[in-house]
Each structure stands twice: as structure tokens, then as C-alpha cells.
Amino acid sequence: MSSALFDRVRTCDNHCEFCFIYQLPKGMRKSLYLKDDDYRLSFLYGNFTTLTRFTELDLERVLTEGLSPLFVSIHSTDPELRARMLRNERGATSLRWLRALLDGGVEVARTGGGVSGGERRRGSGDHPGRRARRVPGTGHRGLRAPGGE
């Protein structure tokens, strides 16, 4: 697949039940089924990242080059709940990157929050004076329910 990146796309190793990739119908073009978790595609194209593949070097690059806004799937700021929702233990520790980005002045457009499985999910944590805006999620639009729209 051709890409605007000079190296490989960082793929997502989360296993979220609500991932829209799992909800796509079969038979579409191959590129639509790529589960990326790449902050570079977040900046370039508005793709969402969970920050579970984010590193110290990535943070340095984002802050140095002013890569903003980034689009982040948060779903919960409770570390244990987030790790369970993403089905990835790095979901708990990756919240530190969100704090570092906001502290560094990066605008973060976020998705997530609300209720899932009967448990209350907290949003990105309202950080006064920091730029975070909420955008609607794409998962669980009734695509899995019979007769759903």
C-alpha cells in the first residue's frame, strides 16, 4: 500500500469490541481494513490513535514540530477500565502521553466517554486552559444489531 509516510504504518494491536474496522462489511478495498495506531496519520489525515504505540521520541517530535491537532480515542481516563476496553494493558499507561501532549500545547480532538457495558466512562479529563475538543465516535452505531441503522 502506498503511504505518505517514509516508513511503515504503525498498526494497532488493541482489540476493542467497538472498533469500527471490525464493523466494516466484507468485500471493500483492502486499505479500509488497515487498523493503524499512528500519530502521524492522526496529524496528516485525522485518523484516531489510542497512543498505545506512542513513544518518548514520538512526543519529542510532536512537540518540536508542532504537530497539532491530534485525534485521540480515549474512551476512559480510568487506567484499569481503559486497559480493559482496549483489551491491551498499555491502554492504562498510555494516558501519560495524553497529559504530556496537552501540557505541551498540542490540540487534542478526542472521542470516547459516555457509558459502555453499563460502566460510566470518564472523558479526557477536562484540563482547564488546555485545548481538547470532543468529536463523535464512529463505533456501535447499531451495525451489529439485527435491523439496526
Side-chain angles (χ1 to χ4, degrees), residues 7 18 27 34 48 51 62 65 85 89 102 104 114 116 129 135:
D7 57 358
F18 48 82
L34 174 69
F48 278 87
L51 301 175
V62 167
E65 296 181 17
M85 292 179 76
E89 62 188 43
L102 291 170
S116 176
V135 296

Side-chain angles (χ1 to χ4, degrees), residues 13-42:
D13 60 356
N14 301 324
H15 303 283
C16 310
E17 179 181 332
F18 48 82
C19 179
F20 74 94
I21 297 290
Y22 299 146
Q23 299 177 40
L24 290 173
K26 294 181 188 216
M28 299 176 77
R29 71 177 184 271
K30 187 177 178 181
S31 64
L32 292 176
Y33 300 101
L34 174 69
K35 278 180 47 179
D36 74 272
D37 198 4
D38 198 317
Y39 76 93
R40 300 167 300 176
L41 295 177
S42 179

Side-chain angles (χ1 to χ4, degrees), residues 15-125:
H15 303 283
C16 310
E17 179 181 332
F18 48 82
C19 179
F20 74 94
I21 297 290
Y22 299 146
Q23 299 177 40
L24 290 173
K26 294 181 188 216
M28 299 176 77
R29 71 177 184 271
K30 187 177 178 181
S31 64
L32 292 176
Y33 300 101
L34 174 69
K35 278 180 47 179
D36 74 272
D37 198 4
D38 198 317
Y39 76 93
R40 300 167 300 176
L41 295 177
S42 179
F43 173 71
L44 290 170
Y45 301 120
N47 293 13
F48 278 87
T49 178
T50 62
L51 301 175
T52 56
R53 306 285 309 252
F54 206 70
T55 68
E56 194 72 43
L57 288 173
D58 297 335
L59 177 64
E60 182 179 331
R61 181 175 181 195
V62 167
L63 297 179
T64 301
E65 296 181 17
L67 303 180
S68 180
L70 293 181
F71 296 81
V72 180
S73 293
I74 297 170
H75 303 290
S76 178
T77 56
D78 177 280
E80 291 178 24
L81 177 57
R82 188 168 192 265
R84 278 198 325 264
M85 292 179 76
L86 300 180
R87 296 181 184 162
N88 183 338
E89 62 188 43
R90 286 194 316 270
T93 58
S94 61
L95 289 171
R96 68 185 170 133
W97 301 122
L98 176 63
R99 289 183 195 96
L101 291 167
L102 291 170
D103 288 344
V106 174
E107 181 180 350
V108 174
R110 65 182 180 87
T111 189
V115 176
S116 176
E119 297 184 58
R120 178 76 184 135
R121 294 180 289 169
R122 296 183 294 182
S124 67

